[in-house]
Amino acid sequence: MYTSQHRQPEGTVDAVMPPNLSNSAAMQNDFSSLLDPAVLQAARQIYRTYYEVHVEQVQRPIGVVIHRETCRGQLVFAQKPILLPQECFVPLDLIDAA
């Protein structure tokens, strides 16, 4: 019998299922533990540099896309980007949580 064919008794919960992460603080803590500290530091530096240079800008980015190996990145303003395999997205909530 395959595991996909296995039925659980009524009222039981599968231990493999991820916990409900409806709380953004819980999701932020889980996400921050997966990020490399160097990537997070690079995202913060890119964000800080942008606001030092563009003081008059009122548009707030939603996050930063970072290349994991080179730690080069760019701010994202519209919607969540489509990432290349070696890139990751760092949301602004995580950057501001410092």
Side-chain angles (χ1 to χ4, degrees):
M1 175 184 280
Y2 295 104
T3 56
S4 62
Q5 295 173 330
H6 177 70
R7 292 190 62 206
Q8 292 182 329
E10 290 292 320
T12 62
V13 178
D14 190 1
V16 180
M17 292 178 59
N20 183 7
L21 297 176
S22 60
N23 185 351
S24 65
M27 189 175 356
Q28 180 177 335
N29 289 338
D30 288 346
F31 188 68
S32 64
S33 65
L34 298 175
L35 272 179
D36 181 11
V39 170
L40 186 57
Q41 182 179 5
R44 286 186 178 129
Q45 182 61 42
I46 291 168
Y47 177 67
R48 188 178 314 120
T49 301
Y50 171 79
Y51 270 104
E52 288 174 357
V53 173
H54 300 93
V55 178
E56 72 284 349
Q57 292 288 336
V58 293
Q59 186 178 12
R60 188 172 164 96
I62 62 167
V64 179
V65 172
I66 298 282
H67 189 282
R68 289 187 196 118
E69 295 171 8
T70 64
C71 289
R72 294 185 68 180
Q74 64 184 30
L75 293 164
V76 177
F77 290 93
Q79 57 188 349
K80 261 190 164 175
I82 297 172
L83 302 173
L84 297 173
Q86 63 274 18
E87 293 177 332
C88 65
F89 177 75
V90 182
L92 192 62
D93 296 341
L94 203 60
I95 294 170
D96 284 341

